[in-house]
Amino acid sequence: MSYFDAASAAPLHPVARQALLASLDEGWADPARLYREGRKARILLDAAREAAAEAIGCRADEVVFTSSGTRAVHSGIAGALAGRRRVGRHLIVSAVEHSSVLHSAEVFEADGGTVTRVPVDRAGTVDPSGYTGALRPDTALAVLQSANHEVGTVQPVAEVAEVCRAAGVPLLVDAAQSLGWGPVDGGWSLLAASAHKWGGPSGVGLLVVRKGVRFAAQGPADERESGRSPGFENIPAVVAAVASLRAVRAEAAQEAVRLRALTERIRARVPQLVPDVEVVGDPERRLPGIVTFSCLYVDGEALLHELDREGFSVSSGSSCTSSTLTPSHVLKAMGVLSEGNVRVSLPGGAAEADVERFLEVLPVAVAGVREKLGAPAPETAVGAEELVVDSLGKRCPVPVIELAKVFGQVPVGGTVRVLSDDEAARLDIPAWCEMRGQEYVGEEPAPRGTAYVVRRVS
C-alpha cells in the first residue's frame, strides 16, 4: 500500500517511536512534583521545550504544549482576542484557512465579533494588500496559514506580518503544514502547529505566544503550561513530537529537493495522461510534497475508492466525497474545479517507483469512473439558439457531464442553460468554462434550483 496522504497525518517517524518508548519509563510522573520521579519528568519536559523553541526560533518560555494542533489554534485565537478586547472585536482571516481557524471565527461572530475573510487568487495565494485593506482601528487579531493544507500553496507570511506589525496588530500563523520543513519567517506574534503533521504522535500541539503580546487564556485557570493549556502533560508524546521535529528538520533540505522533483513529475504528467484535468495551487510557491488536481466528469468518492483498490491512499476536497455535498471551502475560494479532486501528499521517504505506478494506475482509474457514470442522455428543450439542460436532483459531476454532451449542439454565440440544485455546480460550471475557453454568463434564479448560463464562443 502506498500512503500518499501525509498532509492529513504523516507516518510516525522512527525517531519519534524510539523517543516515545524510551521516555515512557522516565516521563510518567507529575513534572510539578519535587521528588525524584517528578524531577526526571520535569527534565524531559524542559528539554523538549528548549528543543522546540530552537526549531521554531523563539524563547522556551514562549512555547506551550497542547493536546492537539486544533486546540492550539482555538486557544491561541481565543486568548489573543480576549487579551486585546479593549482594542476592538474585529478578526481577520484568509478564506482558505484550516477549518479550526474558520470554526473559531464563526464562534467569535456568534458572540458579537466581526470577521473579515481575505480572498485568494486562483492559485490560492493571499495578496498582502488584502490584509492592509482589511485592517481597522478595532482589529484585535489577524490569522494566516504558512502554507495551505489542501493545495500546498505557500503564503506570504513575512509580508503580511510586516503589514500587521506596522498597524500594531498581532498575527497568528497556523504553521501545521510547514513547520517540519523549516521555521516560519517574519515578525509573527503567535504560532500554532501539530505534531502528527511532521511524523510525531497525534495528540500533541504547539502554541507559541511571543513576549509582549496581550493574551488572556480562556476557560478555567490551570497552573500548567503557563495557564494556557490545561491538564496533565503527556510527556512521552511531547518528547517524541519534538524528537521527530528535529529529525525531519535534519532531513528537510535534502528530502525537499527529492519530493519536489516527484511532485513536479506528477504536476507535469497528469494533464498529459488524463484528459480534462486542472492542476491547482501555485506552481512555484508550494510545499515540496503536495500536488492537487481535479478531473472533469468524475465522482471524487468513486475515484478515491478505485485508487484505494489499486493500493494508493489519497484524499480529496471534492464535494462528491462529502456528506454535505458542498465543495471544499479552499477550492471554492480559489474558484477552481472541485469535482474529481485528488490531493497527493507524499510522506518523507516516498519511493519514485510508487509515484511511477500511481501515474500508470491513475488514467485507467479515471477512465473507469467516467465510463461507469455514463452520463444518461439529458432532457433538453430546444430554443432558437439555446438549450436548457435539466439536471435538477443530480449530483456532481453529472450536471457538468450533461452540459458537455449537449454543448456542441448550439451554434457559436448560442447558450446552454443548466438547471441544477447541486451547490457544487456553482463552482464546477464556471471552472468548466475556464478550461474550455467558453463564456460563463452567470447564474439566474429558477423555479427550482439555479440556472447557470454558458455561451459558446468557439
Side-chain angles (χ1 to χ4, degrees), residues 28 49 58 90 211 218 260 351 431 434:
W28 54 268
R49 201 182 312 277
C58 64
H90 177 232
K211 292 297 181 183
Q218 299 301 285
R260 195 176 296 279
E434 179 80 18

Side-chain angles (χ1 to χ4, degrees), residues 118 125-135 144 156-161 163-164:
V118 178
T125 309
V126 301
D127 188 328
S129 66
Y131 276 75
T132 303
L135 287 165
L144 179 63
V157 170
E159 294 90 332
V160 172
V163 165
C164 293

Side-chain angles (χ1 to χ4, degrees), residues 431-449:
W432 181 90
C433 294
E434 179 80 18
M435 295 173 71
R436 285 287 182 270
Q438 306 299 336
E439 179 186 355
Y440 177 63
V441 177
E443 60 181 74
E444 299 174 355
R448 285 181 57 210

Side-chain angles (χ1 to χ4, degrees), residues 199-260:
S202 58
V204 179
L206 293 173
L207 173 62
V208 180
V209 182
R210 295 280 200 190
K211 292 297 181 183
V213 175
R214 291 182 179 272
F215 191 92
Q218 299 301 285
D222 194 288
E223 68 275 9
R224 298 182 186 276
E225 293 300 304
S226 304
R228 293 172 180 171
S229 181
F232 197 102
E233 299 94 342
N234 185 346
I235 295 176
V238 166
V239 170
V242 177
S244 61
L245 178 59
R246 297 183 68 180
V248 297
R249 281 289 191 82
E251 306 159 353
Q254 183 175 354
E255 190 65 4
V257 172
R258 200 181 69 84
L259 291 187
R260 195 176 296 279

Side-chain angles (χ1 to χ4, degrees), residues 119-205:
V120 297
D121 62 19
R122 202 171 169 80
T125 309
V126 301
D127 188 328
S129 66
Y131 276 75
T132 303
L135 287 165
R136 306 187 326 204
D138 64 339
T139 301
L141 178 68
V143 181
L144 179 63
Q145 60 192 193
S146 54
N148 187 261
H149 49 291
E150 289 195 28
V151 299
T153 297
V154 173
Q155 300 291 2
V157 170
E159 294 90 332
V160 172
E162 179 57 29
V163 165
C164 293
R165 186 202 61 77
V169 174
L171 175 69
L172 185 151
V173 177
D174 176 7
Q177 287 297 336
S178 74
L179 195 61
W181 296 107
V184 179
D185 295 331
W188 47 267
S189 302
L190 303 97
L191 180 143
S194 186
H196 73 277
K197 301 291 188 179
W198 63 69
S202 58
V204 179

Side-chain angles (χ1 to χ4, degrees), residues 121-124 148 150-153 267 270-271 277-286 290-295 317 330-331 334-339 341-343 431 435:
D121 62 19
R122 202 171 169 80
N148 187 261
E150 289 195 28
V151 299
T153 297
R267 286 180 64 86
V270 165
V277 163
E278 181 177 15
V279 182
V280 301
D282 193 291
E284 302 294 335
R285 288 176 56 95
R286 58 184 304 99
I290 297 179
V291 57
T292 307
F293 54 88
S294 299
C295 309
V330 172
L331 301 178
M334 293 167 62
V336 298
L337 182 69
S338 75
E339 66 186 47
N341 179 259
V342 174
R343 180 188 67 184
M435 295 173 71

